[in-house]
Amino acid sequence: MTAPLLTPTGQSCTATAPGVPEHPASTGRAHGGGTRVLVVFASRHGATREIAAALARQLPMTDAAGQCALSVHLAPVQQHPDPAAFDAVVLGSPVYGRRWLTPAVRYAEATAGALGRRPTWLFSSGVADQAVDTSIDGDDGRRVGASIGSRDHRFFPGRLEGRLLSAVERRLLTGRPAPAGDHRDWAAVSAWAEEIASGLAAARTRTTRHEVA
Ligand SMILES: Cc1cc2nc3c(=O)[nH]c(=O)nc-3n(C[C@H](O)[C@H](O)[C@H](O)COP(=O)(O)O)c2cc1C
């Protein structure tokens, strides 16, 4: 079963690789068989939510997904999904003032033990020009990554649209070279989903061989 993953309000939902029956574990019930991935995100204006939703939608459709019966659960950090109910986690936050959003930092800190015991991939989204300022990709992302030993920390270009911003945010950006527009790179997001799924399938193959030997 493949469920739609992008709900307008960012509510959690689940998807499974085509041809793979949805496993109860992917909806938080008992475990068996497949690789369950939690994609969990923070977002203020929806850009990062849509990146997380794209990852969650792509992961079960990747070439490697069928090899590890991959299923995905998408949820905002505010729902506090328990990483211990999953085999792997992808956690993302936008960068504001060079920091991750506080709910994402708090979630990472509260679940650090569980994140550190399973493969975890992190991503930040923002509009900074990394070529100009390499410190821009979110100190929190780097710090969280180091503390839990994450597999990767990616920076994805985000979206900055004046009509979505509060008056305070617009004031904060006054006089700063902030490139307005939607800079999200969906091809890069898809490619990362392929990388993550390949890593999970390879790990599963190694585990299966180990169990057989
Ligand atoms: C007040 C403000 C501060 C921002 N600070 C940064 C920053 O330090 N680094 C960065 O890369 N992007 C920064 N951004 C851009 C956001 O990270 C970007 O718009 C992101 O895609 C928003 O994601 P969201 O819609 O999920 O909240 C800032 C945007 C605003 C409005």
Side-chain angles (χ1 to χ4, degrees):
M1 188 215 68
T2 304
L5 276 155
L6 181 56
T7 67
T9 55
Q11 292 303 301
S12 63
C13 41
T14 298
T16 304
V20 176
E22 183 187 331
H23 194 276
S26 65
T27 50
R29 301 191 293 273
H31 177 210
T35 300
R36 302 151 308 162
V37 182
L38 170 66
V39 177
V40 56
F41 63 91
S43 180
R44 191 183 283 170
H45 295 301
T48 314
R49 170 170 55 79
E50 290 171 5
I51 293 172
L55 284 168
R57 204 167 38 239
Q58 291 287 328
L59 276 164
M61 298 196 299
T62 53
D63 292 341
Q67 296 165 33
C68 55
L70 191 152
S71 63
V72 178
H73 185 72
L74 173 69
V77 287
Q78 286 84 354
Q79 284 186 2
H80 306 291
D82 182 5
F86 297 88
D87 301 301
V89 178
V90 180
L91 167 62
S93 172
V95 180
Y96 282 89
R98 300 191 174 201
R99 307 302 306 264
W100 270 17
L101 289 178
T102 303
V105 174
R106 293 216 173 115
Y107 177 81
E109 287 171 353
T111 60
L115 294 178
R117 285 191 294 275
R118 51 196 30 78
T120 298
W121 284 262
L122 305 177
F123 72 93
S124 302
S125 96
V127 297
D129 185 346
Q130 286 188 293
V132 174
D133 187 346
T134 52
S135 71
I136 210 83
D137 63 346
D139 290 343
D140 293 313
R142 266 201 301 279
R143 185 174 55 77
V144 170
S147 74
I148 63 169
S150 72
R151 293 281 177 100
D152 192 9
H153 173 215
R154 273 301 150 92
F155 181 90
F156 289 118
R159 178 183 63 189
L160 190 64
E161 286 182 10
R163 67 186 171 86
L164 299 175
L165 304 181
S166 67
V168 172
E169 287 176 322
R170 275 200 287 271
R171 247 196 328 275
L172 282 170
L173 292 178
T174 305
R176 295 190 191 186
D182 189 346
H183 308 283
R184 289 171 298 173
D185 182 344
W186 300 113
V189 172
S190 293
W192 201 49
E194 290 284 351
E195 273 183 49
I196 292 172
S198 298
L200 288 169
R204 190 173 171 87
T205 306
R206 281 196 299 275
T207 309
T208 310
R209 282 205 190 113
H210 182 71
E211 282 167 2
V212 168

